[in-house]
Amino acid sequence: MEPIPVSYSKMKQTKLVLPPDTNHLDTIFGGKVLAFIDEIAALTAMKHSNAAVVTASIDSVDFLSSAKVGDALTLEAFVTRTGRTSMEVYVKVYADDLLRRHKELTTESFLTMVAVDQDGNPTQVPEIIPETEEEKRLYDTALARKEHRKNRSSLR
Ligand SMILES: CC(C)(COP(=O)(O)OP(=O)(O)OC[C@H]1O[C@@H](n2cnc3c(N)ncnc32)[C@H](O)[C@@H]1OP(=O)(O)O)[C@@H](O)C(=O)NCCC(=O)NCCS
């Protein structure tokens, strides 16, 4: 399988934060942000692998600040590194107050997605080619995160 550059499957999505998605402080529910993160990570991994994917783990989620009603929520995702059948995906979420022209990073997350065939069995994925400084940094540190993930689970 030919390795594929990160830029090929990199994704960006913008959503409007609406009242049903928020708590009594008018800020977005963490679970709602997680659903958006899972969705863009799946799309990114599907594009890279050209296969159906499942979420094997949401490895980390850091909520750094909150987004409020009326903010534009922008998600950016890319594959940092691949295993034989798994892909680590990094997602950043920005809240953009368009009226005040103020944008900040609200959330960052690492997920592991696994490509599967029609029977749900893991299937091989192409390797990734990092290009930018950020992509190279996350590619270089991915194996340490994978090791940490394995040690964390009580099942392995
Ligand atoms: C993820 C899944 C396909 C792995 O299947 P499996 O039979 O354990 O397959 P393997 O042991 O061969 O592992 C396949 C890959 O998944 C990775 N993997 C398996 N479980 C994992 C976990 N909990 N976290 C991170 N990676 C995991 C393995 O490291 C391996 O990666 P590699 O091929 O790059 O080395 C299977 O556990 C599954 O279908 N889980 C449910 C997924 C799901 O429904 N997600 C939505 C939840 S709401």
Side-chain angles (χ1 to χ4, degrees):
M1 275 179 166
E2 280 287 301
I4 300 174
V6 172
S7 54
Y8 173 75
S9 55
K10 203 170 220 177
M11 298 246 171
K12 191 169 177 173
Q13 279 182 346
T14 301
K15 319 247 183 196
L16 179 62
V17 180
L18 294 168
D21 305 331
T22 61
N23 57 30
H24 56 282
L25 297 173
D26 283 344
T27 60
I28 193 163
F29 286 118
K32 192 74 195 177
V33 178
L34 264 186
F36 291 154
I37 287 172
D38 193 33
E39 179 185 70
I40 196 170
L43 288 168
T44 302
M46 281 168 72
K47 181 146 189 199
H48 174 75
S49 61
N50 193 28
V53 302
V54 292
T55 309
S57 62
I58 296 179
D59 304 316
S60 69
V61 188
D62 290 289
F63 294 107
L64 309 168
S65 62
S66 48
K68 61 181 190 321
V69 170
D71 282 352
L73 207 64
T74 299
L75 295 101
E76 294 176 10
F78 62 87
V79 175
T80 62
R81 191 155 182 151
T82 59
R84 199 183 77 78
T85 65
S86 68
M87 294 154 277
E88 185 191 60
V89 181
Y90 176 57
V91 182
K92 285 186 284 194
V93 185
Y94 293 93
D96 199 346
D97 182 334
L98 299 173
L99 303 185
R100 295 160 115 194
R101 295 207 172 104
H102 178 74
K103 183 177 177 181
E104 68 181 327
L105 180 66
T106 69
T107 313
E108 66 171 354
S109 180
F110 288 94
L111 306 90
T112 302
M113 315 300 292
V114 176
V116 291
D117 63 19
Q118 286 189 331
D119 300 319
N121 296 316
T123 185
Q124 196 176 345
V125 300
E127 287 180 15
I128 196 98
I129 305 170
E131 295 162 311
T132 68
E133 282 309 309
E134 181 185 40
E135 290 163 12
K136 287 177 185 164
R137 180 172 55 79
L138 292 180
Y139 178 91
D140 288 343
T141 50
L143 293 182
R145 284 190 299 278
K146 187 171 188 173
E147 203 50 39
H148 178 70
R149 180 164 68 235
K150 282 186 182 163
N151 293 334
R152 180 202 63 193
S153 172
S154 61
L155 304 174
R156 298 153 184 262

